[in-house]
Amino acid sequence: MKNIVILISGRGSNMQALLEAQLPCRIAAVISNRADAEGLNIAKAHGIATAVVAHRDYPDRDSFDAALANIIDGYQPDVVVLAGFMRILTADFVGRYHGKLINIHPSLLPSYGGLHTHARALHDGVKIHGCTVHFVTPNLDHGPIIIQAAVPVLCHDTEQTLAARVLHEEHRIYPQAIRWLCSEQIELGASGQVVFHKRKQSAFTLISPGLD
Ligand code: GRF
């Protein structure tokens, strides 16, 4: 059974979705860069080992990433899952976990990489928004895409209502992606594309606003 380590910085709702999904893997630890991350308490309540590597204790990204990798490697993970981990990682760190480092991002990448994705989507008036699970590469929010979920943007949406609609889907697609990885149904191929060993196709079209 594969070992996974989850990195968080805050609320931890995606981490919680993973803990509750009965994945075919062992969740070895949850690690945060912030001691006050609410998600640490959720992890502890599930009996999962937790650790804090506080980025403020390190003078630069290189030394923080080295310390973080040291703690992560103690758990010998096969997969390292970023679940709302709000630090940009160095190319060295990303390279160390090539093909094993996964992130969830609250937009339909490659649109709206970076922060404030819901506000930017509303500002632009897009009618479809969503979330993406992808392998992490040194190019921020541009790694090979594993799975995406699309949601409609509704006419009275606020940043909060849109975020909630997207988050609901995040909690569905992240466990799915990790399940595929842990059961070796997908991998990062040599060409940098996601290889699906068992492909499922979706036949649905989302039209937003809907047709009359
Ligand atoms: C999620 O929207 C995730 O996509 C983004 O950060 C947020 C984390 O939320 N990377 P939570 O901590 O999982 O509740």
Side-chain angles (χ1 to χ4, degrees):
M1 195 176 263
K2 290 190 191 292
N3 250 356
I4 75 173
V5 164
I6 304 176
L7 306 189
I8 64 168
S9 294
R11 181 176 60 184
S13 71
N14 276 289
M15 173 212 73
Q16 184 170 6
L18 294 171
L19 297 187
E20 291 174 357
Q22 301 193 323
L23 297 169
C25 62
R26 176 173 167 266
I27 300 180
V30 170
I31 303 173
S32 174
N33 63 309
R34 303 178 62 104
D36 61 355
E38 306 93 301
L40 288 172
N41 295 327
I42 301 171
K44 285 177 193 157
H46 280 76
I48 307 288
T50 62
V52 175
V53 184
H55 62 277
R56 291 191 197 286
D57 293 348
Y58 297 86
D60 50 38
R61 282 191 199 285
D62 286 328
S63 55
F64 169 68
D65 281 10
L68 181 61
N70 195 34
I71 299 289
I72 292 172
D73 291 351
Y75 294 100
Q76 300 184 304
D78 301 291
V79 179
V80 177
V81 176
L82 306 180
F85 186 69
M86 302 304 283
R87 301 297 301 169
I88 293 175
L89 296 161
T90 55
D92 267 5
F93 182 97
V94 172
R96 182 186 191 100
Y97 301 106
H98 180 76
K100 298 172 156 193
L101 187 59
I102 314 296
N103 184 43
I104 187 156
H105 183 79
S107 78
L108 289 172
L109 292 173
S111 293
Y112 305 115
L115 298 174
H116 311 301
T117 56
H118 310 308
R120 288 157 60 207
L122 285 172
H123 176 264
D124 287 347
V126 298
K127 300 296 180 255
I128 294 175
H129 186 47
C131 48
T132 303
V133 178
H134 63 97
F135 283 100
V136 177
T137 58
N139 193 359
L140 185 71
D141 295 333
H142 274 82
I145 292 171
I146 297 170
I147 186 170
Q148 297 183 298
V151 302
V153 180
L154 304 180
C155 57
H156 296 302
D157 265 337
T158 62
E159 206 179 323
Q160 288 69 33
T161 58
L162 183 55
R165 192 173 308 118
V166 171
L167 191 66
H168 182 76
E169 301 308 320
E170 293 186 37
H171 295 164
R172 299 174 69 204
I173 66 171
Y174 217 1
Q176 177 66 84
I178 303 305
R179 183 172 287 117
W180 282 337
L181 258 174
C182 290
S183 55
E184 296 182 351
Q185 293 191 49
I186 60 168
E187 64 180 312
L188 183 58
S191 63
Q193 297 302 307
V194 180
V195 178
F196 282 79
H197 297 302
K198 222 193 263 177
R199 185 176 287 273
K200 276 198 197 166
Q201 301 286 16
S202 166
F204 296 107
T205 302
L206 171 60
I207 300 177
S208 170
L211 302 176
D212 285 337

mmCIF file of all heavy atoms in Angstrom, residues 44-93:
data_model
loop_
_atom_site.group_PDB
_atom_site.id
_atom_site.type_symbol
_atom_site.label_atom_id
_atom_site.label_comp_id
_atom_site.label_asym_id
_atom_site.label_seq_id
_atom_site.Cartn_x
_atom_site.Cartn_y
_atom_site.Cartn_z
ATOM 1 N N LYS A 44 -5.366 15.429 13.509
ATOM 2 C CA LYS A 44 -5.146 14.776 14.819
ATOM 3 C C LYS A 44 -6.388 13.998 15.236
ATOM 4 O O LYS A 44 -6.294 12.881 15.751
ATOM 5 C CB LYS A 44 -4.809 15.827 15.880
ATOM 6 C CG LYS A 44 -3.383 16.352 15.756
ATOM 7 C CD LYS A 44 -3.130 17.446 16.794
ATOM 8 C CE LYS A 44 -1.849 18.191 16.465
ATOM 9 N NZ LYS A 44 -1.795 19.538 17.047
ATOM 10 N N ALA A 45 -7.571 14.595 15.000
ATOM 11 C CA ALA A 45 -8.820 13.914 15.372
ATOM 12 C C ALA A 45 -8.994 12.611 14.585
ATOM 13 O O ALA A 45 -9.699 11.704 15.030
ATOM 14 C CB ALA A 45 -10.005 14.849 15.130
ATOM 15 N N HIS A 46 -8.361 12.531 13.423
ATOM 16 C CA HIS A 46 -8.411 11.297 12.632
ATOM 17 C C HIS A 46 -7.257 10.352 12.990
ATOM 18 O O HIS A 46 -7.047 9.334 12.321
ATOM 19 C CB HIS A 46 -8.351 11.614 11.136
ATOM 20 C CG HIS A 46 -9.666 12.053 10.565
ATOM 21 N ND1 HIS A 46 -10.188 13.313 10.761
ATOM 22 C CD2 HIS A 46 -10.576 11.389 9.799
ATOM 23 C CE1 HIS A 46 -11.353 13.411 10.138
ATOM 24 N NE2 HIS A 46 -11.613 12.258 9.557
ATOM 25 N N GLY A 47 -6.455 10.755 13.990
ATOM 26 C CA GLY A 47 -5.355 9.891 14.410
ATOM 27 C C GLY A 47 -4.164 9.894 13.462
ATOM 28 O O GLY A 47 -3.362 8.955 13.451
ATOM 29 N N ILE A 48 -4.044 10.961 12.685
ATOM 30 C CA ILE A 48 -2.937 11.055 11.720
ATOM 31 C C ILE A 48 -1.794 11.840 12.359
ATOM 32 O O ILE A 48 -2.032 12.865 13.018
ATOM 33 C CB ILE A 48 -3.392 11.790 10.430
ATOM 34 C CG1 ILE A 48 -4.658 11.159 9.849
ATOM 35 C CG2 ILE A 48 -2.262 11.871 9.413
ATOM 36 C CD1 ILE A 48 -4.492 9.826 9.207
ATOM 37 N N ALA A 49 -0.572 11.408 12.141
ATOM 38 C CA ALA A 49 0.604 12.132 12.652
ATOM 39 C C ALA A 49 0.667 13.504 11.999
ATOM 40 O O ALA A 49 0.367 13.645 10.809
ATOM 41 C CB ALA A 49 1.870 11.343 12.327
ATOM 42 N N THR A 50 1.039 14.513 12.779
ATOM 43 C CA THR A 50 1.160 15.869 12.228
ATOM 44 C C THR A 50 2.543 16.430 12.542
ATOM 45 O O THR A 50 3.193 16.002 13.498
ATOM 46 C CB THR A 50 0.102 16.830 12.810
ATOM 47 O OG1 THR A 50 0.300 16.927 14.215
ATOM 48 C CG2 THR A 50 -1.319 16.370 12.511
ATOM 49 N N ALA A 51 2.956 17.384 11.724
ATOM 50 C CA ALA A 51 4.226 18.078 11.968
ATOM 51 C C ALA A 51 4.086 19.494 11.439
ATOM 52 O O ALA A 51 3.275 19.758 10.545
ATOM 53 C CB ALA A 51 5.367 17.346 11.264
ATOM 54 N N VAL A 52 4.862 20.398 12.013
ATOM 55 C CA VAL A 52 4.886 21.790 11.553
ATOM 56 C C VAL A 52 6.319 22.136 11.168
ATOM 57 O O VAL A 52 7.250 21.871 11.930
ATOM 58 C CB VAL A 52 4.392 22.745 12.666
ATOM 59 C CG1 VAL A 52 4.544 24.203 12.224
ATOM 60 C CG2 VAL A 52 2.939 22.441 13.028
ATOM 61 N N VAL A 53 6.471 22.669 9.955
ATOM 62 C CA VAL A 53 7.754 23.251 9.543
ATOM 63 C C VAL A 53 7.421 24.700 9.206
ATOM 64 O O VAL A 53 6.834 24.978 8.159
ATOM 65 C CB VAL A 53 8.352 22.515 8.320
ATOM 66 C CG1 VAL A 53 9.730 23.082 7.984
ATOM 67 C CG2 VAL A 53 8.435 21.010 8.566
ATOM 68 N N ALA A 54 7.725 25.599 10.134
ATOM 69 C CA ALA A 54 7.283 26.995 10.005
ATOM 70 C C ALA A 54 8.219 27.753 9.062
ATOM 71 O O ALA A 54 9.418 27.883 9.347
ATOM 72 C CB ALA A 54 7.254 27.647 11.371
ATOM 73 N N HIS A 55 7.649 28.246 7.965
ATOM 74 C CA HIS A 55 8.519 28.911 6.976
ATOM 75 C C HIS A 55 9.207 30.131 7.565
ATOM 76 O O HIS A 55 10.302 30.478 7.167
ATOM 77 C CB HIS A 55 7.721 29.281 5.714
ATOM 78 C CG HIS A 55 6.603 30.239 5.949
ATOM 79 N ND1 HIS A 55 5.366 29.850 6.398
ATOM 80 C CD2 HIS A 55 6.549 31.580 5.815
ATOM 81 C CE1 HIS A 55 4.593 30.907 6.526
ATOM 82 N NE2 HIS A 55 5.281 31.977 6.179
ATOM 83 N N ARG A 56 8.564 30.740 8.580
ATOM 84 C CA ARG A 56 9.163 31.944 9.184
ATOM 85 C C ARG A 56 10.455 31.641 9.939
ATOM 86 O O ARG A 56 11.222 32.555 10.238
ATOM 87 C CB ARG A 56 8.161 32.588 10.144
ATOM 88 C CG ARG A 56 6.979 33.192 9.432
ATOM 89 C CD ARG A 56 6.148 34.060 10.366
ATOM 90 N NE ARG A 56 4.828 34.313 9.819
ATOM 91 C CZ ARG A 56 4.583 35.140 8.814
ATOM 92 N NH1 ARG A 56 5.560 35.801 8.260
ATOM 93 N NH2 ARG A 56 3.346 35.300 8.361
ATOM 94 N N ASP A 57 10.675 30.379 10.249
ATOM 95 C CA ASP A 57 11.905 30.017 10.971
ATOM 96 C C ASP A 57 13.112 29.885 10.043
ATOM 97 O O ASP A 57 14.213 29.588 10.514
ATOM 98 C CB ASP A 57 11.724 28.664 11.699
ATOM 99 C CG ASP A 57 10.710 28.768 12.828
ATOM 100 O OD1 ASP A 57 10.336 29.908 13.180
ATOM 101 O OD2 ASP A 57 10.289 27.721 13.345
ATOM 102 N N TYR A 58 12.903 30.086 8.742
ATOM 103 C CA TYR A 58 14.003 29.864 7.791
ATOM 104 C C TYR A 58 14.259 31.143 7.015
ATOM 105 O O TYR A 58 13.318 31.865 6.649
ATOM 106 C CB TYR A 58 13.654 28.705 6.845
ATOM 107 C CG TYR A 58 13.508 27.418 7.621
ATOM 108 C CD1 TYR A 58 12.289 27.074 8.202
ATOM 109 C CD2 TYR A 58 14.605 26.602 7.854
ATOM 110 C CE1 TYR A 58 12.162 25.936 8.983
ATOM 111 C CE2 TYR A 58 14.491 25.458 8.638
ATOM 112 C CZ TYR A 58 13.266 25.131 9.195
ATOM 113 O OH TYR A 58 13.161 24.014 9.979
ATOM 114 N N PRO A 59 15.549 31.419 6.736
ATOM 115 C CA PRO A 59 15.889 32.708 6.112
ATOM 116 C C PRO A 59 15.487 32.797 4.643
ATOM 117 O O PRO A 59 15.306 33.893 4.126
ATOM 118 C CB PRO A 59 17.416 32.786 6.263
ATOM 119 C CG PRO A 59 17.867 31.367 6.431
ATOM 120 C CD PRO A 59 16.746 30.651 7.108
ATOM 121 N N ASP A 60 15.351 31.664 3.966
ATOM 122 C CA ASP A 60 15.023 31.722 2.528
ATOM 123 C C ASP A 60 14.285 30.454 2.105
ATOM 124 O O ASP A 60 14.137 29.501 2.868
ATOM 125 C CB ASP A 60 16.299 31.915 1.684
ATOM 126 C CG ASP A 60 17.367 30.907 2.063
ATOM 127 O OD1 ASP A 60 17.012 29.752 2.348
ATOM 128 O OD2 ASP A 60 18.555 31.278 2.091
ATOM 129 N N ARG A 61 13.824 30.491 0.860
ATOM 130 C CA ARG A 61 13.039 29.351 0.335
ATOM 131 C C ARG A 61 13.850 28.068 0.308
ATOM 132 O O ARG A 61 13.337 26.986 0.575
ATOM 133 C CB ARG A 61 12.569 29.651 -1.091
ATOM 134 C CG ARG A 61 11.393 30.562 -1.157
ATOM 135 C CD ARG A 61 10.816 30.610 -2.558
ATOM 136 N NE ARG A 61 9.996 31.784 -2.715
ATOM 137 C CZ ARG A 61 8.776 31.940 -2.205
ATOM 138 N NH1 ARG A 61 8.222 30.961 -1.525
ATOM 139 N NH2 ARG A 61 8.121 33.057 -2.380
ATOM 140 N N ASP A 62 15.140 28.186 -0.056
ATOM 141 C CA ASP A 62 15.964 26.974 -0.177
ATOM 142 C C ASP A 62 16.064 26.240 1.163
ATOM 143 O O ASP A 62 15.902 25.016 1.215
ATOM 144 C CB ASP A 62 17.375 27.332 -0.674
ATOM 145 C CG ASP A 62 17.358 27.683 -2.158
ATOM 146 O OD1 ASP A 62 16.524 27.115 -2.887
ATOM 147 O OD2 ASP A 62 18.165 28.538 -2.565
ATOM 148 N N SER A 63 16.317 27.010 2.232
ATOM 149 C CA SER A 63 16.504 26.340 3.528
ATOM 150 C C SER A 63 15.162 25.814 4.053
ATOM 151 O O SER A 63 15.110 24.726 4.644
ATOM 152 C CB SER A 63 17.184 27.260 4.538
ATOM 153 O OG SER A 63 16.461 28.456 4.655
ATOM 154 N N PHE A 64 14.077 26.545 3.797
ATOM 155 C CA PHE A 64 12.757 26.039 4.214
ATOM 156 C C PHE A 64 12.426 24.751 3.460
ATOM 157 O O PHE A 64 12.023 23.745 4.061
ATOM 158 C CB PHE A 64 11.669 27.090 3.957
ATOM 159 C CG PHE A 64 10.274 26.547 4.117
ATOM 160 C CD1 PHE A 64 9.798 26.166 5.358
ATOM 161 C CD2 PHE A 64 9.439 26.395 3.004
ATOM 162 C CE1 PHE A 64 8.508 25.648 5.506
ATOM 163 C CE2 PHE A 64 8.157 25.875 3.147
ATOM 164 C CZ PHE A 64 7.695 25.499 4.397
ATOM 165 N N ASP A 65 12.608 24.762 2.152
ATOM 166 C CA ASP A 65 12.267 23.581 1.350
ATOM 167 C C ASP A 65 13.124 22.371 1.746
ATOM 168 O O ASP A 65 12.640 21.231 1.756
ATOM 169 C CB ASP A 65 12.429 23.880 -0.143
ATOM 170 C CG ASP A 65 11.249 24.666 -0.693
ATOM 171 O OD1 ASP A 65 10.414 25.126 0.101
ATOM 172 O OD2 ASP A 65 11.165 24.813 -1.933
ATOM 173 N N ALA A 66 14.402 22.630 2.081
ATOM 174 C CA ALA A 66 15.279 21.526 2.489
ATOM 175 C C ALA A 66 14.783 20.928 3.800
ATOM 176 O O ALA A 66 14.725 19.694 3.961
ATOM 177 C CB ALA A 66 16.717 22.026 2.631
ATOM 178 N N ALA A 67 14.395 21.797 4.741
ATOM 179 C CA ALA A 67 13.891 21.305 6.040
ATOM 180 C C ALA A 67 12.575 20.546 5.841
ATOM 181 O O ALA A 67 12.346 19.490 6.443
ATOM 182 C CB ALA A 67 13.693 22.475 6.989
ATOM 183 N N LEU A 68 11.724 21.091 4.981
ATOM 184 C CA LEU A 68 10.432 20.444 4.709
ATOM 185 C C LEU A 68 10.645 19.064 4.088
ATOM 186 O O LEU A 68 10.033 18.071 4.503
ATOM 187 C CB LEU A 68 9.625 21.351 3.774
ATOM 188 C CG LEU A 68 8.233 20.894 3.382
ATOM 189 C CD1 LEU A 68 7.329 20.764 4.620
ATOM 190 C CD2 LEU A 68 7.598 21.882 2.389
ATOM 191 N N ALA A 69 11.548 18.999 3.109
ATOM 192 C CA ALA A 69 11.824 17.716 2.430
ATOM 193 C C ALA A 69 12.353 16.694 3.426
ATOM 194 O O ALA A 69 12.024 15.501 3.360
ATOM 195 C CB ALA A 69 12.820 17.931 1.292
ATOM 196 N N ASN A 70 13.164 17.174 4.357
ATOM 197 C CA ASN A 70 13.740 16.288 5.361
ATOM 198 C C ASN A 70 12.638 15.630 6.213
ATOM 199 O O ASN A 70 12.657 14.418 6.454
ATOM 200 C CB ASN A 70 14.683 17.128 6.239
ATOM 201 C CG ASN A 70 15.583 16.263 7.051
ATOM 202 O OD1 ASN A 70 15.986 15.193 6.612
ATOM 203 N ND2 ASN A 70 15.859 16.706 8.261
ATOM 204 N N ILE A 71 11.665 16.439 6.623
ATOM 205 C CA ILE A 71 10.546 15.897 7.424
ATOM 206 C C ILE A 71 9.691 14.975 6.557
ATOM 207 O O ILE A 71 9.319 13.873 6.970
ATOM 208 C CB ILE A 71 9.671 17.048 7.988
ATOM 209 C CG1 ILE A 71 10.484 17.950 8.907
ATOM 210 C CG2 ILE A 71 8.450 16.488 8.708
ATOM 211 C CD1 ILE A 71 10.871 17.332 10.226
ATOM 212 N N ILE A 72 9.388 15.422 5.336
ATOM 213 C CA ILE A 72 8.561 14.598 4.436
ATOM 214 C C ILE A 72 9.218 13.235 4.225
ATOM 215 O O ILE A 72 8.571 12.184 4.326
ATOM 216 C CB ILE A 72 8.370 15.312 3.072
ATOM 217 C CG1 ILE A 72 7.511 16.571 3.239
ATOM 218 C CG2 ILE A 72 7.758 14.368 2.040
ATOM 219 C CD1 ILE A 72 7.434 17.433 1.981
ATOM 220 N N ASP A 73 10.526 13.246 3.932
ATOM 221 C CA ASP A 73 11.206 11.999 3.573
ATOM 222 C C ASP A 73 11.235 11.005 4.735
ATOM 223 O O ASP A 73 11.327 9.793 4.520
ATOM 224 C CB ASP A 73 12.616 12.300 3.062
ATOM 225 C CG ASP A 73 12.579 13.004 1.706
ATOM 226 O OD1 ASP A 73 11.477 13.091 1.114
ATOM 227 O OD2 ASP A 73 13.635 13.477 1.244
ATOM 228 N N GLY A 74 11.128 11.530 5.969
ATOM 229 C CA GLY A 74 11.056 10.645 7.127
ATOM 230 C C GLY A 74 9.848 9.716 7.073
ATOM 231 O O GLY A 74 9.841 8.650 7.688
ATOM 232 N N TYR A 75 8.822 10.114 6.320
ATOM 233 C CA TYR A 75 7.607 9.288 6.191
ATOM 234 C C TYR A 75 7.626 8.421 4.938
ATOM 235 O O TYR A 75 6.661 7.709 4.656
ATOM 236 C CB TYR A 75 6.358 10.187 6.184
ATOM 237 C CG TYR A 75 6.148 10.895 7.505
ATOM 238 C CD1 TYR A 75 6.527 12.214 7.675
ATOM 239 C CD2 TYR A 75 5.600 10.224 8.594
ATOM 240 C CE1 TYR A 75 6.352 12.868 8.897
ATOM 241 C CE2 TYR A 75 5.421 10.861 9.813
ATOM 242 C CZ TYR A 75 5.809 12.181 9.958
ATOM 243 O OH TYR A 75 5.636 12.811 11.165
ATOM 244 N N GLN A 76 8.705 8.517 4.171
ATOM 245 C CA GLN A 76 8.891 7.713 2.948
ATOM 246 C C GLN A 76 7.653 7.681 2.048
ATOM 247 O O GLN A 76 7.124 6.608 1.726
ATOM 248 C CB GLN A 76 9.295 6.285 3.329
ATOM 249 C CG GLN A 76 10.597 6.270 4.116
ATOM 250 C CD GLN A 76 11.069 4.870 4.431
ATOM 251 O OE1 GLN A 76 10.342 4.079 5.038
ATOM 252 N NE2 GLN A 76 12.266 4.557 4.000
ATOM 253 N N PRO A 77 7.194 8.857 1.658
ATOM 254 C CA PRO A 77 5.955 8.884 0.862
ATOM 255 C C PRO A 77 6.163 8.469 -0.598
ATOM 256 O O PRO A 77 7.215 8.725 -1.186
ATOM 257 C CB PRO A 77 5.538 10.356 0.927
ATOM 258 C CG PRO A 77 6.813 11.096 1.079
ATOM 259 C CD PRO A 77 7.722 10.212 1.888
ATOM 260 N N ASP A 78 5.133 7.843 -1.149
ATOM 261 C CA ASP A 78 5.088 7.575 -2.591
ATOM 262 C C ASP A 78 4.433 8.743 -3.307
ATOM 263 O O ASP A 78 4.638 8.941 -4.494
ATOM 264 C CB ASP A 78 4.273 6.302 -2.860
ATOM 265 C CG ASP A 78 4.865 5.107 -2.148
ATOM 266 O OD1 ASP A 78 5.949 4.689 -2.552
ATOM 267 O OD2 ASP A 78 4.263 4.633 -1.168
ATOM 268 N N VAL A 79 3.575 9.448 -2.582
ATOM 269 C CA VAL A 79 2.845 10.582 -3.154
ATOM 270 C C VAL A 79 2.841 11.715 -2.119
ATOM 271 O O VAL A 79 2.598 11.464 -0.932
ATOM 272 C CB VAL A 79 1.384 10.185 -3.500
ATOM 273 C CG1 VAL A 79 0.621 11.369 -4.080
ATOM 274 C CG2 VAL A 79 1.353 9.002 -4.471
ATOM 275 N N VAL A 80 3.119 12.928 -2.576
ATOM 276 C CA VAL A 80 3.055 14.109 -1.701
ATOM 277 C C VAL A 80 1.948 15.005 -2.244
ATOM 278 O O VAL A 80 1.970 15.411 -3.412
ATOM 279 C CB VAL A 80 4.405 14.860 -1.663
ATOM 280 C CG1 VAL A 80 4.284 16.116 -0.799
ATOM 281 C CG2 VAL A 80 5.514 13.947 -1.136
ATOM 282 N N VAL A 81 0.964 15.276 -1.392
ATOM 283 C CA VAL A 81 -0.261 15.945 -1.823
ATOM 284 C C VAL A 81 -0.303 17.362 -1.246
ATOM 285 O O VAL A 81 -0.280 17.531 -0.023
ATOM 286 C CB VAL A 81 -1.487 15.143 -1.308
ATOM 287 C CG1 VAL A 81 -2.784 15.854 -1.657
ATOM 288 C CG2 VAL A 81 -1.469 13.731 -1.885
ATOM 289 N N LEU A 82 -0.364 18.356 -2.115
ATOM 290 C CA LEU A 82 -0.526 19.743 -1.665
ATOM 291 C C LEU A 82 -2.022 20.020 -1.577
ATOM 292 O O LEU A 82 -2.736 19.912 -2.583
ATOM 293 C CB LEU A 82 0.128 20.715 -2.655
ATOM 294 C CG LEU A 82 1.604 20.449 -2.985
ATOM 295 C CD1 LEU A 82 2.119 21.493 -3.979
ATOM 296 C CD2 LEU A 82 2.462 20.438 -1.728
ATOM 297 N N ALA A 83 -2.486 20.362 -0.382
ATOM 298 C CA ALA A 83 -3.922 20.595 -0.196
ATOM 299 C C ALA A 83 -4.091 21.966 0.473
ATOM 300 O O ALA A 83 -4.185 22.062 1.696
ATOM 301 C CB ALA A 83 -4.542 19.475 0.650
ATOM 302 N N GLY A 84 -4.047 23.008 -0.357
ATOM 303 C CA GLY A 84 -4.099 24.361 0.191
ATOM 304 C C GLY A 84 -2.789 24.725 0.859
ATOM 305 O O GLY A 84 -2.782 25.413 1.885
ATOM 306 N N PHE A 85 -1.678 24.258 0.295
ATOM 307 C CA PHE A 85 -0.347 24.584 0.825
ATOM 308 C C PHE A 85 0.115 25.861 0.140
ATOM 309 O O PHE A 85 0.350 25.858 -1.076
ATOM 310 C CB PHE A 85 0.626 23.425 0.569
ATOM 311 C CG PHE A 85 1.965 23.628 1.220
ATOM 312 C CD1 PHE A 85 2.089 23.594 2.597
ATOM 313 C CD2 PHE A 85 3.102 23.864 0.453
ATOM 314 C CE1 PHE A 85 3.329 23.785 3.202
ATOM 315 C CE2 PHE A 85 4.332 24.055 1.050
ATOM 316 C CZ PHE A 85 4.456 24.015 2.425
ATOM 317 N N MET A 86 0.168 26.952 0.916
ATOM 318 C CA MET A 86 0.298 28.284 0.322
ATOM 319 C C MET A 86 1.738 28.779 0.268
ATOM 320 O O MET A 86 2.019 29.928 0.597
ATOM 321 C CB MET A 86 -0.588 29.271 1.089
ATOM 322 C CG MET A 86 -2.059 28.888 1.105
ATOM 323 S SD MET A 86 -2.751 28.680 -0.533
ATOM 324 C CE MET A 86 -2.957 30.394 -0.982
ATOM 325 N N ARG A 87 2.653 27.920 -0.133
ATOM 326 C CA ARG A 87 4.032 28.344 -0.335
ATOM 327 C C ARG A 87 4.455 27.951 -1.737
ATOM 328 O O ARG A 87 4.128 26.860 -2.215
ATOM 329 C CB ARG A 87 4.997 27.646 0.654
ATOM 330 C CG ARG A 87 4.708 27.878 2.109
ATOM 331 C CD ARG A 87 4.835 29.311 2.535
ATOM 332 N NE ARG A 87 6.149 29.900 2.311
ATOM 333 C CZ ARG A 87 6.419 31.199 2.409
ATOM 334 N NH1 ARG A 87 5.451 32.042 2.703
ATOM 335 N NH2 ARG A 87 7.629 31.650 2.201
ATOM 336 N N ILE A 88 5.199 28.853 -2.380
ATOM 337 C CA ILE A 88 5.766 28.507 -3.685
ATOM 338 C C ILE A 88 7.010 27.670 -3.416
ATOM 339 O O ILE A 88 7.856 28.022 -2.587
ATOM 340 C CB ILE A 88 6.099 29.783 -4.477
ATOM 341 C CG1 ILE A 88 4.797 30.502 -4.818
ATOM 342 C CG2 ILE A 88 6.887 29.445 -5.733
ATOM 343 C CD1 ILE A 88 4.978 31.838 -5.486
ATOM 344 N N LEU A 89 7.095 26.528 -4.096
ATOM 345 C CA LEU A 89 8.186 25.579 -3.841
ATOM 346 C C LEU A 89 9.314 25.770 -4.865
ATOM 347 O O LEU A 89 9.056 26.089 -6.028
ATOM 348 C CB LEU A 89 7.634 24.150 -3.893
ATOM 349 C CG LEU A 89 6.604 23.878 -2.777
ATOM 350 C CD1 LEU A 89 5.748 22.664 -3.109
ATOM 351 C CD2 LEU A 89 7.310 23.700 -1.438
ATOM 352 N N THR A 90 10.543 25.545 -4.422
ATOM 353 C CA THR A 90 11.691 25.724 -5.323
ATOM 354 C C THR A 90 11.736 24.597 -6.356
ATOM 355 O O THR A 90 11.180 23.505 -6.154
ATOM 356 C CB THR A 90 13.013 25.700 -4.534
ATOM 357 O OG1 THR A 90 13.058 24.476 -3.789
ATOM 358 C CG2 THR A 90 13.117 26.877 -3.580
ATOM 359 N N ALA A 91 12.448 24.868 -7.449
ATOM 360 C CA ALA A 91 12.577 23.854 -8.506
ATOM 361 C C ALA A 91 13.268 22.601 -7.962
ATOM 362 O O ALA A 91 12.952 21.479 -8.368
ATOM 363 C CB ALA A 91 13.360 24.435 -9.685
ATOM 364 N N ASP A 92 14.203 22.777 -7.028
ATOM 365 C CA ASP A 92 14.893 21.623 -6.422
ATOM 366 C C ASP A 92 13.903 20.718 -5.701
ATOM 367 O O ASP A 92 13.934 19.491 -5.836
ATOM 368 C CB ASP A 92 15.899 22.118 -5.372
ATOM 369 C CG ASP A 92 17.268 22.296 -5.973
ATOM 370 O OD1 ASP A 92 17.388 22.119 -7.199
ATOM 371 O OD2 ASP A 92 18.193 22.629 -5.203
ATOM 372 N N PHE A 93 13.019 21.339 -4.917
ATOM 373 C CA PHE A 93 12.021 20.580 -4.158
ATOM 374 C C PHE A 93 11.099 19.840 -5.131
ATOM 375 O O PHE A 93 10.838 18.643 -4.985
ATOM 376 C CB PHE A 93 11.216 21.535 -3.271
ATOM 377 C CG PHE A 93 10.197 20.850 -2.401
ATOM 378 C CD1 PHE A 93 10.471 20.533 -1.076
ATOM 379 C CD2 PHE A 93 8.946 20.522 -2.919
ATOM 380 C CE1 PHE A 93 9.531 19.900 -0.277
ATOM 381 C CE2 PHE A 93 7.995 19.888 -2.128
ATOM 382 C CZ PHE A 93 8.282 19.580 -0.800
#
